[in-house]
Amino acid sequence: MVDHSELQVPGYEIPPEMQGQVVITTLDRIYNWGRRSSLWPMMFGLACCAIEMIAVQAPRFDLARFGMEVMRPSPRQSDVMIVAGTVTKKMVPAVVRLYNQMPEPKYVVAMGACASSGGPFKAGYNVVAGIDKFIPVDVYIPGCPPTPEALIYGMMKLQEKIDKQSIRQVRWYQKGPDSVQIPVPILGPDLIDPRRAEELKRIAAAQAQTQEG
């Protein structure tokens, strides 16, 4: 039996003989209900948090209850990027490139302290203090590592965010590009964000003038 309570718009009474056969709803509600119930995470992990992500797909926790059991090995078929683990500067260009290859609508979950803020390795020269410095994050899950229950709770919070979206307001149904391409960072002596190119030029010019003076 399908539960129609999530689709039914409150305030409309349906005769008892028609209940279970007729649902009064809105386009936004049925659209979001379909998306929230079929989120496909990308199949990749960066560090120890990925072990907990794998456990979520096992029978004990069974993420299939939420329609999220199909983990895709291709970003072209993924809806959710779960950044599970420590993000090093060497990995950031690959993560951003994968994010750009995901079709809209797409969401990002920062799983664990490392993906959210750098975690215990934040002081390391090779670790990024949070993936949100390069790609937008929708849900943060605390913990080191988070338990499988915490990941499930975070995915439920993502579902709640999807429920509040409207077709009239979401970016991918507006005029213009349906996806925002983020410039891939350049890994050299250090990690360079192309979006800060003008700022870095001004800093370099100011330092050059100081040295000349």
Side-chain angles (χ1 to χ4, degrees), residues 33-192:
W33 175 78
R35 292 195 302 115
R36 76 190 298 274
S37 304
S38 59
L39 292 172
W40 290 2
M42 193 187 305
M43 187 186 295
F44 88 108
L46 298 178
C48 45
C49 285
I51 303 299
E52 305 299 322
M53 182 179 66
I54 294 169
V56 169
Q57 298 289 7
R60 180 177 179 181
F61 300 99
D62 191 19
L63 203 59
R65 294 174 294 161
F66 304 92
M68 304 174 187
E69 76 280 9
V70 184
M71 299 193 74
R72 307 308 301 168
S74 168
R76 307 291 187 186
Q77 302 172 353
S78 303
D79 303 302
V80 183
M81 172 184 282
I82 302 176
V83 183
T86 310
V87 185
T88 62
K89 293 179 179 179
K90 188 175 182 179
M91 283 301 302
V92 168
V95 173
V96 173
R97 187 173 292 109
L98 288 172
Y99 176 82
N100 287 336
Q101 292 175 353
M102 293 172 63
E104 293 283 5
K106 55 188 174 184
Y107 305 94
V108 177
V109 175
M111 181 182 177
C114 290
S116 300
S117 63
F121 310 107
K122 183 176 181 178
Y125 69 93
N126 64 324
V127 174
V128 174
I131 191 61
D132 57 357
K133 288 180 170 49
F134 296 93
I135 59 177
V137 174
D138 298 283
V139 176
Y140 296 86
I141 303 176
C144 186
T147 61
E149 294 90 344
L151 177 55
I152 291 175
Y153 182 75
M155 299 302 285
M156 292 170 65
K157 285 298 178 182
L158 180 59
Q159 288 184 323
E160 292 178 9
K161 180 174 183 177
I162 293 173
D163 287 336
K164 298 176 183 178
Q165 293 181 331
S166 173
I167 294 178
R168 293 174 296 179
Q169 299 175 353
V170 291
R171 181 182 65 252
W172 50 90
Y173 281 131
Q174 304 300 320
K175 292 183 179 180
D178 62 351
S179 180
V180 176
Q181 294 292 316
I182 297 177
V184 178
I186 303 168
L187 181 61
D190 200 347
L191 194 63
I192 302 173

